Amino acid sequence: MKTRTLGPAGPTVSALGLGCMGMSAYYGGRGSDDDGIAVIRHALDRGVTLLDTADVYGPHTNEVLVGRAIAGRRNQVFLASKFGIGLDPADPKARQINGHPDYVQAACEASLRRLGVDHIDLYYQHRVDPNVPIEDVAGTVRDLIAEGKVGHFGLSEASAATVRRAHAVQPVAAVQSEYSLWWREPERELLPTLQELGIGFVPFSPLGRGFLTGTINADTTFDANDFRNSVPRFEVEARRANQALVDRISTIAAARGATPAQVALAWLLAQAPWIVPIPGTTKIHRLEENLGAADLQLAPEELQRIAQALDEVSIVGERYNAQRAAQAKG
């Protein structure tokens, strides 16, 4: 597996990471924990080092699963987890954003126990708490780094301005946000800021929550507990309209003997050498397909055809419902 550095002086990780969320939460059709553990261990066997989880996934159960998977193999893993999203006891479907220093410290201790490790390599604030100055959060993580419990500080779904403020207190190693062929908002302000500051970028949902793989269309039905049922971009008419982009990508992929998923990931890798996508999967054969993207170098003319497709196809539907969209504004 090829490697990349998250920023000029940042940590070195595999060119593609593994998002572990879907093994425990949000998507339907999940297998057993043992299935998830098998996928993680296969990823490690194939040279993947960056594993991504969070305390809210499950909630909590995904960290336990990841901890079981890496037991005895900790030295092969660059482990990322997150704090800052809790569930409302009065309404399990509602989420609470919390960045208070005491909470951050307690969340870290709890994640360390669940993961069965003595430190977390990259610790993200999952969502920015508008009620807590980002400087306080950065200072708290700085203390955790000094204590040896955390290796690097990260932010998830944070604005360029917030990243600058946090970085001035404690250097930010990586920012994680959604970025893909059908969500390019980070290109406006965030990516130029990260390049200026020397911060790595970790795109989540790099395959458009599965849509860019070409395996989902307007006729696809999702399990009742699949959160895509509440996503405007996955409404039937939106999927029908957005199929135009997948069709264009599929044509490019077929000419290279690749899959749409591989082209979508290779496009991300081509945007900057400090970008490390974290596609998630619960199946080993899909993992193998994704990893093939690390060796797929798109030619300039192919990148131009993709750019033309992006200019000509308007993506229909918001990426989150109103509640989650509000929480993603950091």
Side-chain angles (χ1 to χ4, degrees), residues 17 40 43 61 67 97 114 134 186 188 196 236 246 250 263 275 296 307 320:
I40 292 172
T61 56
I97 307 302
R114 285 189 291 268
I134 193 64
R188 296 179 59 190
E196 174 193 341
V236 172
V246 176
S250 296
V263 169
I275 290 178
L296 178 62
Y320 284 134

Side-chain angles (χ1 to χ4, degrees), residues 55-69:
D55 57 1
V56 75
Y57 299 159
H60 306 324
T61 56
N62 194 245
E63 286 186 321
V64 174
L65 185 156
V66 171
R68 289 176 57 197

Side-chain angles (χ1 to χ4, degrees), residues 21-212:
M21 179 191 77
M23 298 173 184
S24 304
Y26 302 113
Y27 294 102
R30 297 188 303 274
S32 66
D33 283 358
D34 287 343
D35 293 333
I37 289 169
V39 170
I40 292 172
R41 290 178 177 168
H42 187 81
L44 297 181
D45 291 342
R46 294 281 278 107
V48 173
T49 61
L50 175 58
L51 300 182
D52 184 272
T53 183
D55 57 1
V56 75
Y57 299 159
H60 306 324
T61 56
N62 194 245
E63 286 186 321
V64 174
L65 185 156
V66 171
R68 289 176 57 197
I70 67 174
R73 305 181 69 169
R74 180 66 178 93
N75 63 344
Q76 295 178 250
V77 177
F78 187 84
L79 181 61
S81 193
K82 311 178 197 73
F83 65 88
I85 298 180
L87 300 182
D88 186 345
D91 181 3
K93 294 184 179 180
R95 309 196 305 174
Q96 296 177 322
I97 307 302
N98 193 338
H100 290 279
D102 289 348
Y103 175 87
V104 176
Q105 291 172 335
C108 182
E109 295 291 350
S111 288
L112 290 171
R113 288 194 298 271
R114 285 189 291 268
L115 290 161
V117 299
D118 61 5
H119 72 283
I120 297 167
D121 296 299
L122 177 57
Y123 202 36
Y124 293 100
Q125 182 179 25
H126 206 159
R127 292 293 185 272
V128 175
D129 186 343
N131 300 312
V132 178
I134 193 64
E135 291 82 0
D136 293 353
V137 177
T140 302
V141 177
R142 180 184 59 200
D143 293 342
L144 292 170
I145 292 172
E147 295 169 13
K149 297 174 182 176
V150 169
H152 301 273
F153 179 33
L155 293 170
S156 178
E157 293 280 78
S159 68
T162 298
V163 172
R164 287 186 183 278
R165 290 170 53 196
H167 192 66
V169 176
Q170 167 60 43
V172 176
V175 172
Q176 180 178 132
S177 291
E178 183 173 353
Y179 183 42
S180 71
L181 287 169
W182 78 343
W183 180 255
R184 297 166 59 206
E185 179 67 20
E187 294 176 358
R188 296 179 59 190
E189 295 184 357
L190 183 59
L191 291 184
T193 299
L194 300 185
Q195 183 169 23
E196 174 193 341
L197 298 177
I199 297 171
F201 187 56
V202 179
F204 70 77
S205 297
L207 297 175
R209 299 185 173 89
F211 193 78
L212 296 174

